[in-house]
Amino acid sequence: AMPGFLGVEVWVSESGQRRNATYYWASLEDVQAFSQHPHHLEAKRQYARWYKGFHIVISEVVRSYGDGAFAHLTPNNRVPA
């Protein structure tokens, strides 16, 4: 429910040993505000209760496109032919 939070996609491997969650934010400033929120800071301190480890990648979506067959959190930037 944070401002700028657009949504999340989650993937779990067949074995259940690997998980990936991709969180989408409107801006880097929104990510930074979330990273300093007291609830998030408390959850980070207790991450071992839920996870065996973690790795964070912060990246910027430069372009997003597809054939339009399904909706996605990022806009379809492809111009129809």
Side-chain angles (χ1 to χ4, degrees):
M2 294 275 307
F5 177 71
L6 302 176
V8 62
E9 293 179 315
V10 178
W11 171 87
V12 179
S13 69
E14 224 176 273
S15 68
Q17 297 299 308
R18 288 252 182 199
R19 297 171 184 271
N20 179 54
T22 303
Y23 294 87
Y24 294 90
W25 295 88
S27 71
L28 184 56
E29 292 77 21
D30 294 327
V31 173
Q32 291 168 333
F34 168 72
S35 74
Q36 296 306 309
H37 191 280
H39 291 142
H40 177 69
L41 293 172
E42 180 59 27
K44 276 178 46 176
R45 281 190 281 279
Q46 298 186 43
Y47 84 90
R49 291 175 58 190
W50 304 286
Y51 306 110
K52 294 180 180 173
F54 69 92
H55 182 85
I56 295 181
V57 175
I58 298 176
S59 57
E60 180 179 4
V61 175
V62 175
R63 187 173 302 112
S64 175
Y65 58 88
D67 65 2
F70 59 89
H72 192 265
L73 294 167
T74 61
N76 187 351
N77 295 121
R78 180 170 278 175
V79 178

